[in-house]
Short mmCIF file of all heavy atoms in Angstrom, two decimals:
data_model
loop_
_atom_site.label_atom_id
_atom_site.label_comp_id
_atom_site.label_asym_id
_atom_site.label_seq_id
_atom_site.Cartn_x
_atom_site.Cartn_y
_atom_site.Cartn_z
N TYR A 137 19.93 -4.73 -12.65
CA TYR A 137 20.76 -4.83 -11.43
C TYR A 137 21.06 -6.31 -11.08
O TYR A 137 22.13 -6.65 -10.72
CB TYR A 137 20.10 -4.05 -10.28
CG TYR A 137 20.86 -4.22 -9.00
CD1 TYR A 137 22.03 -3.50 -8.78
CD2 TYR A 137 20.39 -5.08 -8.00
CE1 TYR A 137 22.74 -3.65 -7.61
CE2 TYR A 137 21.14 -5.21 -6.83
CZ TYR A 137 22.28 -4.52 -6.62
OH TYR A 137 22.99 -4.67 -5.47
N LEU A 138 19.98 -7.11 -11.16
CA LEU A 138 20.17 -8.54 -10.82
C LEU A 138 21.11 -9.20 -11.83
O LEU A 138 21.86 -10.12 -11.44
CB LEU A 138 18.81 -9.28 -10.88
CG LEU A 138 17.80 -8.91 -9.76
CD1 LEU A 138 16.47 -9.53 -10.00
CD2 LEU A 138 18.35 -9.27 -8.39
N GLU A 139 21.09 -8.76 -13.07
CA GLU A 139 21.96 -9.40 -14.08
C GLU A 139 23.37 -8.83 -14.04
O GLU A 139 24.31 -9.57 -14.26
CB GLU A 139 21.33 -9.17 -15.49
CG GLU A 139 20.05 -10.00 -15.70
CD GLU A 139 19.49 -9.78 -17.06
OE1 GLU A 139 20.06 -8.98 -17.86
OE2 GLU A 139 18.51 -10.46 -17.37
N GLN A 140 23.51 -7.50 -13.79
CA GLN A 140 24.80 -6.86 -13.93
C GLN A 140 25.47 -6.46 -12.62
O GLN A 140 26.67 -6.16 -12.60
CB GLN A 140 24.67 -5.61 -14.83
CG GLN A 140 24.19 -5.94 -16.21
CD GLN A 140 23.92 -4.68 -17.04
OE1 GLN A 140 24.59 -3.68 -16.88
NE2 GLN A 140 22.92 -4.75 -17.94
N GLY A 141 24.73 -6.42 -11.58
CA GLY A 141 25.25 -6.01 -10.28
C GLY A 141 25.35 -4.48 -10.15
O GLY A 141 24.96 -3.72 -11.01
N PRO A 142 25.96 -4.04 -9.07
CA PRO A 142 26.07 -2.61 -8.72
C PRO A 142 26.77 -1.79 -9.77
O PRO A 142 26.55 -0.56 -9.85
CB PRO A 142 26.80 -2.58 -7.42
CG PRO A 142 26.81 -3.93 -6.89
CD PRO A 142 26.54 -4.88 -8.02
N ARG A 143 27.62 -2.36 -10.56
CA ARG A 143 28.37 -1.65 -11.63
C ARG A 143 27.40 -1.02 -12.59
O ARG A 143 27.75 -0.02 -13.26
CB ARG A 143 29.36 -2.61 -12.30
CG ARG A 143 30.11 -2.02 -13.39
CD ARG A 143 31.28 -1.19 -12.91
NE ARG A 143 31.87 -0.50 -13.99
CZ ARG A 143 32.46 0.68 -13.90
NH1 ARG A 143 32.50 1.27 -12.77
NH2 ARG A 143 32.98 1.23 -14.95
N LEU A 144 26.21 -1.58 -12.72
CA LEU A 144 25.24 -1.03 -13.61
C LEU A 144 25.02 0.48 -13.45
O LEU A 144 25.02 1.23 -14.44
CB LEU A 144 23.85 -1.75 -13.38
CG LEU A 144 22.65 -1.04 -14.04
CD1 LEU A 144 22.62 -1.30 -15.55
CD2 LEU A 144 21.37 -1.55 -13.37
N PHE A 145 24.92 0.92 -12.23
CA PHE A 145 24.63 2.32 -11.94
C PHE A 145 25.74 3.24 -12.36
O PHE A 145 25.55 4.28 -12.97
CB PHE A 145 24.16 2.53 -10.52
CG PHE A 145 22.99 1.67 -10.12
CD1 PHE A 145 23.14 0.57 -9.33
CD2 PHE A 145 21.76 1.88 -10.69
CE1 PHE A 145 22.01 -0.25 -8.97
CE2 PHE A 145 20.63 1.16 -10.41
CZ PHE A 145 20.82 0.03 -9.57
N SER A 146 27.00 2.87 -12.02
CA SER A 146 28.12 3.69 -12.41
C SER A 146 28.26 3.72 -13.98
O SER A 146 28.53 4.76 -14.54
CB SER A 146 29.39 3.30 -11.75
OG SER A 146 29.71 1.97 -12.00
N ASP A 147 28.00 2.59 -14.59
CA ASP A 147 28.04 2.52 -16.06
C ASP A 147 26.97 3.50 -16.67
O ASP A 147 27.27 4.20 -17.60
CB ASP A 147 27.83 1.12 -16.59
CG ASP A 147 28.95 0.18 -16.32
OD1 ASP A 147 30.08 0.66 -15.93
OD2 ASP A 147 28.79 -1.04 -16.47
N ILE A 148 25.79 3.44 -16.11
CA ILE A 148 24.73 4.36 -16.63
C ILE A 148 25.10 5.79 -16.41
O ILE A 148 24.96 6.64 -17.30
CB ILE A 148 23.36 4.00 -16.00
CG1 ILE A 148 22.84 2.69 -16.55
CG2 ILE A 148 22.34 5.12 -16.19
CD1 ILE A 148 21.57 2.17 -15.89
N PHE A 149 25.58 6.14 -15.16
CA PHE A 149 25.89 7.51 -14.87
C PHE A 149 27.04 8.02 -15.73
O PHE A 149 27.02 9.16 -16.27
CB PHE A 149 26.21 7.70 -13.41
CG PHE A 149 25.06 7.55 -12.49
CD1 PHE A 149 25.22 6.79 -11.31
CD2 PHE A 149 23.84 8.10 -12.77
CE1 PHE A 149 24.12 6.64 -10.44
CE2 PHE A 149 22.74 7.96 -11.92
CZ PHE A 149 22.91 7.22 -10.76
N GLU A 150 28.07 7.18 -15.95
CA GLU A 150 29.23 7.59 -16.82
C GLU A 150 28.72 7.86 -18.23
O GLU A 150 29.09 8.82 -18.86
CB GLU A 150 30.27 6.55 -16.76
CG GLU A 150 31.07 6.49 -15.49
CD GLU A 150 32.05 5.33 -15.44
OE1 GLU A 150 32.43 4.79 -16.52
OE2 GLU A 150 32.40 4.94 -14.28
N SER A 151 27.93 6.98 -18.75
CA SER A 151 27.39 7.07 -20.11
C SER A 151 26.48 8.28 -20.26
O SER A 151 26.55 9.04 -21.26
CB SER A 151 26.71 5.80 -20.53
OG SER A 151 26.27 5.87 -21.86
N LEU A 152 25.63 8.52 -19.25
CA LEU A 152 24.72 9.70 -19.31
C LEU A 152 25.59 10.97 -19.32
O LEU A 152 25.28 11.91 -20.04
CB LEU A 152 23.82 9.69 -18.13
CG LEU A 152 22.58 8.83 -18.18
CD1 LEU A 152 21.83 8.83 -16.85
CD2 LEU A 152 21.66 9.28 -19.35
#
Side-chain angles (χ1 to χ4, degrees):
Y137 175 77
L138 290 172
E139 291 182 356
Q140 300 175 32
R143 178 79 186 148
L144 166 75
F145 302 110
S146 57
D147 289 348
I148 287 175
F149 291 136
E150 287 173 22
S151 183
L152 280 173

